[in-house]
Amino acid sequence: MGDWMTTGGLREGRRPRTLSPLREHLRDTFWFAPTAAMVLVFVVWAAATAADTAIVDALHDARDYDTLDDLLRLADDAKAVVTVVSSAMMTFIGVVFSISLVAVQMASGQFSPRVVRIFVRSRITKATFAVFLATFLLSLLVLTSYEGQADARYVTSIPLIQSVLTLAMLGLSLLLFVLYVNQTLRLMRISHVIDHITHEAFKVVAHMPVARSTGEEDALGPETAQVVHHGRAGVLRDVNIARLVRAARREGVVLRLIPRIGDFVVPGTPLFAVHGGPAPAGRRPLSHTVSVGVERTFHQDFAFGMRQLADIGLRALSAAVNDPTTAVQAIDRIVQFLAAVAGRPLDAALHRDRHGNVRLVQSVPGWTELVDLGFTEIRGCAVGAPQVTRRIVAGLDDLAAIAPADRREPLLRHRALLVEAVERSVAEPSDRAFALRPDRQGIG
């Protein structure tokens, strides 16, 4: 198995930061950004109210009632705009986000339920929702500041700055609405969804350690202890590499993560195997160094991108969708990802301490597993779609030309299985030859 250093794509000695459960929770929710925006706009409104009051007090002290009359007329004109904004904004919010929910539901049914996370975690969506609600709240607060006093000598506050802020927030809302519509339309197009998934998958690859071929993993020694999981059941999303390496170094042992990132773990199952001594002890047990959630994330999950691409391709080949062109687009990215990792050592990541000693062994998918993940399910459903079979053959041939000799076996196996399936299912020799002819565009 290959050996991975922890400095790939990063500065020497720096490890990828650990996943923050709180940060991930906030990114997966819609309540935090609007709540923070409304609290902030309340503070801004209070400051603007104080500034408006100070302006009126200064004009009273100067007995400049003509200026106060001008400001009152200007404020009356602004009040009409603020009233329209307050009455229309909430309706606007309801219509816009109702349409968005329908779009998300359609994308989930046509592409894959896993792509919903792209919509949920979209920053522009949350920013738009937050600014819309903040504009609505600010307009209501500004309306409460109008006194209804027509005599400049007795007025105590004129919401001038507040009205200007409301108009500025309205302009920002319109700008964000345009950006939001553009982003939503992009995410409804499968090519952009697939590109986004591929980009996230390559970010994981970029943070994987750089290979260095040694036999250290085979020299870990016998297993001396195990650490079991005591938390809630869920998907293993992340491990705190830095903390685990420090704990293993203090005890002079090597830790081996038993489940793989993305596995479902339940309480009582073993998390770590300890080699070379007792399990590290401390104020917090090792089970607290892992993050468990309800769904997989891209943070350390090497195969999650491939899983989503395979799901999209599989859904596209279903009888309900019947979209082989989308399946070809998914295969394009699967081939791209496999070509990028074809020359990299896989199977295990070995994390070291500052002295270069291996302290944590983390399992990652091997080459054969990645190839099976990318092609097995799609190949099984592609027999009746010559566009897809031609693209699979071309992709496997390209990967066989790129991959090292010792990694060609799973590629040749999938190609042979595809040929056998087509020969069994397609009666006419000419149709079989057409379906098995390599074509990077399928049928163009």
Side-chain angles (χ1 to χ4, degrees), residues 83 187 232 285 295 298 328 398 421:
T83 303
L187 291 179
R232 62 169 181 165
E295 63 179 356
F298 272 107
V328 168
D398 289 339

Side-chain angles (χ1 to χ4, degrees), residues 118 238 304 338:
I118 300 177
D238 169 87
F304 187 41
L338 291 174

Side-chain angles (χ1 to χ4, degrees), residues 176-421:
L176 283 175
F177 173 67
V178 173
L179 297 176
Y180 168 74
V181 170
N182 178 69
Q183 176 75 1
T184 302
L185 291 177
R186 283 173 59 91
L187 291 179
M188 291 178 64
R189 296 163 61 185
I190 186 59
S191 57
H192 292 285
V193 172
I194 291 177
D195 181 71
H196 180 87
I197 294 171
T198 307
H199 176 71
E200 292 287 341
F202 274 111
K203 286 172 62 176
V204 180
V205 175
H207 285 81
M208 289 298 292
V210 175
R212 188 173 70 183
S213 181
T214 67
E216 290 174 293
E217 187 188 353
D218 297 329
L220 295 179
E223 180 180 316
T224 54
Q226 282 190 346
V227 178
V228 299
H229 177 52
H230 294 294
R232 62 169 181 165
V235 176
L236 180 60
R237 304 188 304 174
D238 169 87
V239 294
N240 192 326
I241 296 172
R243 184 182 297 176
L244 288 168
V245 168
R246 287 196 302 267
R249 179 173 54 83
R250 284 195 304 266
E251 297 292 336
V253 299
V254 178
L255 298 173
R256 177 170 55 86
L257 181 64
I258 297 175
R260 183 178 294 165
I261 300 296
D263 287 355
F264 191 88
V265 296
V266 297
T269 57
L271 274 180
F272 297 99
V274 184
H275 298 262
R283 291 179 299 175
R284 302 186 67 185
L286 291 183
S287 59
H288 288 180
T289 61
V290 301
S291 174
V292 175
V294 297
E295 63 179 356
R296 298 168 69 174
T297 72
F298 272 107
H299 186 63
Q300 292 181 3
D301 200 335
F302 193 69
F304 187 41
M306 289 281 287
R307 177 69 272 168
Q308 292 187 77
L309 293 174
D311 284 347
I312 292 174
L314 194 62
R315 181 66 63 91
L317 292 173
S318 66
V321 178
N322 193 21
D323 184 10
T325 302
T326 294
V328 168
Q329 290 179 291
I331 295 169
D332 290 340
R333 299 300 185 160
I334 290 172
V335 173
Q336 178 189 2
F337 182 84
L338 291 174
V341 301
R344 299 179 66 113
L346 299 171
D347 295 319
L350 273 61
H351 302 281
R352 306 170 185 276
D353 60 19
R354 67 186 66 173
H355 302 296
N357 299 317
V358 175
R359 295 301 180 188
L360 174 64
V361 179
Q362 183 179 2
S363 177
V364 297
W367 171 254
T368 300
E369 293 171 289
L370 291 175
V371 172
D372 290 341
L373 175 59
F375 289 107
T376 301
E377 294 168 312
I378 296 178
R379 173 178 54 77
C381 297
V383 176
Q387 180 182 358
V388 182
T389 58
R390 289 159 64 97
R391 182 63 187 98
I392 292 177
V393 172
L396 292 172
D397 289 347
D398 289 339
L399 289 172
I402 295 172
D406 59 344
R407 290 190 170 180
R408 292 173 185 165
E409 186 278 329
L411 301 171
L412 299 177
R413 171 169 52 84
H414 279 282
R415 197 184 195 284
L417 290 173
L418 179 61
V419 171
E420 292 177 6

